[in-house]
C-alpha cells in the first residue's frame, strides 16, 4: 500500500485528478480546479497527491522544502458539503471553498501537508468505500480518524518528520484533536472556527447527534497536556464562538489562555486573509 502511495507522490497529480473526473459532475471539476488554483498560489506551490489508505483514498497537497527540518505542519479540511437541505444529504462532500487549503497556501512552513477528508475530491459517493454517513452522522468515525492517521504516517514514513503541528478548520478541528490525542509525535494543535465537541455542537442547534462519531473528550487527558490555540469568530453562526470556552472548561483549562476571538470573523471570512498574522499566534511547543 505504501509503495503505491509513493508512486502517486513521486508523480504529482497536478492535472491527473481533473482528467480523471472529466466524466463526473461539473461541480466536482469546478471545486477540484479551485483547490488546484489555491495550491498553485502558495509560495512555493503545493504539490497534489493521493493517499491510498485501508478504507479510503485521500487527496492531499504538500510542500517539502527543508528535508532536514523535523517539523511538519498538517492542515485538515472541514466537513465540506454535508447536506443540501436540512434533511437531504449531499452526494459529494467536496467543499466549494476549501478554507483549510487556503490557510495552508498562505502558511510559511517549509514542510507542510494538507489533507482533504474522506470522499472529498474523489467523487463523493462514487469514491472507494464512500457512503454519505461519512460526511453526516459518521463524519468523525473511528475509520475516518484511522484514514487520516494512516495518511500522515505514510507521509512521515516517506519524507520524515518527528514534530507535528496540527491545524484543523471547522470539523477538521475535532479530527485534529482526536489525532493529537493518539499520536505521540504531535507537539501542538491549533483550530480555526472549529467544532471542538460535536455533542455540544449538535445539542446547541437541536440537531441529530452524530451517533457514529468519536468525540474529543475521549482523549481529554492527553489534550490537557498539549499546547493548543483555538481561533473563533464572533460572527460565526455555524460554530458559535461561545462553544469554545465551554469546551476548555470541560477540559479543566482556563479559556482565556487558549482562545483567541476575532470580532469580525464568521465561519469562512476572513481566515485565509488573516492567516499570515494569526499563524504567529498559533500553538507552539514551549
Amino acid at each position: 500500500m505504501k509503495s503505491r502511495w509513493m508512486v502517486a507522490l513521486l508523480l504529482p497529480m497536478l492535472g491527473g485528478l481533473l482528467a480523471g473526473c472529466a466524466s463526473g459532475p461539473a461541480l466536482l471539476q469546478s471545486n477540484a480546479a479551485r483547490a488546484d488554483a489555491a495550491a498553485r498560489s502558495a509560495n512555493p506551490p503545493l504539490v497534489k497527491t493521493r493517499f491510498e489508505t485501508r478504507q479510503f483514498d485521500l487527496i492531499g497537497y504538500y510542500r517539502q522544502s527543508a528535508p532536514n527540518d523535523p517539523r511538519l505542519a498538517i492542515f485538515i479540511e472541514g466537513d465540506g458539503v454535508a447536506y443540501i437541505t436540512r434533511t437531504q444529504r449531499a452526494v459529494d462532500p467536496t467543499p466549494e471553498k476549501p478554507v483549510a487549503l487556503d490557510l495552508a497556501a498562505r502558511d510559511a512552513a517549509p514542510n507542510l501537508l494538507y489533507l482533504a477528508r474522506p470522499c472529498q475530491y474523489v467523487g463523493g459517493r462514487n469514491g472507494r468505500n464512500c457512503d454519505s454517513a461519512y460526511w453526516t452522522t459518521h463524519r468523525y468515525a473511528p475509520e475516518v480518524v484511522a484514514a487520516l492517521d494512516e495518511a500522515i504516517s505514510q507521509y512521515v514514513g516517506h519524507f520524515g518528520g518527528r514534530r507535528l503541528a496540527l491545524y484543523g478548520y471547522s470539523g477538521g478541528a475535532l479530527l485534529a484533536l482526536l489525532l493529537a490525542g493518539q499520536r505521540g509525535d504531535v507537539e501542538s494543535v491549533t483550530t480555526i472556527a472549529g467544532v471542538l465537541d460535536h455533542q455540544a455542537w449538535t445539542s446547541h442547534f437541536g440537531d441529530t447527534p452524530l451517533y457514529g462519531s468519536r468525540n474529543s473528550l475521549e482523549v481529554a487527558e492527553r489534550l490537557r497536556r498539549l499546547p493548543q490555540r483555538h481561533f473563533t469568530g464572533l460572527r460565526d453562526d455555524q460554530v458559535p464562538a461561545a462553544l469554545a470556552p465551554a469546551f476548555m472548561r470541560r477540559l479543566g483549562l482556563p479559556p482565556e489562555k487558549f482562545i483567541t476571538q476575532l470580532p469580525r470573523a464568521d465561519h469562512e471570512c476572513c481566515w485565509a486573509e488573516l492567516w499570515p498574522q494569526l499563524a504567529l499566534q498559533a500553538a507552539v511547543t514551549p
Side-chain angles (χ1 to χ4, degrees), residues 2 20 25 39 56 60 66 80 89 94 109 113 117 157 176 178 185 193 196 239 241 245 251-252:
K2 181 177 176 180
F56 303 106
R89 296 179 175 186
T94 300
L113 172 64
R117 300 275 288 281
L178 289 169
D185 52 2
L196 307 180
V239 183
L251 280 187

Side-chain angles (χ1 to χ4, degrees), residues 36-47:
D36 281 344
R40 288 194 299 269
S41 72
N43 185 23
L46 306 181
V47 180

Side-chain angles (χ1 to χ4, degrees), residues 103-261:
L103 297 175
R106 294 172 186 250
D107 197 88
N111 300 332
L112 181 150
L113 172 64
Y114 160 87
L115 287 172
R117 300 275 288 281
C119 309
Q120 295 179 351
Y121 300 106
V122 294
R125 289 192 305 195
N126 294 323
R128 181 164 63 93
N129 293 322
C130 285
D131 182 277
S132 61
Y134 288 120
W135 51 91
T136 53
T137 55
H138 291 58
R139 65 185 74 182
Y140 316 123
E143 52 267 44
V144 171
V145 180
L148 291 165
D149 189 33
E150 188 178 347
I152 293 170
S153 293
Q154 288 180 15
Y155 188 90
V156 169
H158 181 67
F159 278 123
R162 303 183 306 277
R163 300 174 54 190
L164 309 187
L166 301 185
Y167 299 82
Y169 166 71
S170 189
L174 198 149
L175 290 167
L177 293 173
L178 289 169
L179 289 164
Q182 69 184 43
R183 292 187 64 98
D185 52 2
V186 174
E187 293 195 337
S188 65
V189 61
T190 298
T191 71
I192 303 94
V195 176
L196 307 180
D197 174 350
H198 70 71
Q199 292 177 350
W201 181 52
T202 55
S203 177
H204 175 85
F205 289 105
D207 290 339
T208 302
L210 305 183
Y211 56 82
S213 294
R214 294 182 58 192
N215 206 8
S216 55
L217 295 177
E218 298 174 20
V219 293
E221 184 176 352
R222 162 69 171 156
L223 293 178
R224 290 188 190 101
R225 304 192 302 269
L226 199 67
Q228 56 195 282
R229 171 62 49 189
H230 305 287
F231 293 106
T232 62
L234 293 182
R235 294 184 178 181
D236 191 341
D237 59 3
Q238 296 186 48
V239 183
L243 296 177
F247 170 75
M248 298 309 300
R249 286 191 287 269
R250 282 191 289 275
L251 280 187
L253 298 175
E256 64 276 6
K257 184 177 178 180
F258 298 97
I259 296 173
T260 298
Q261 296 181 331

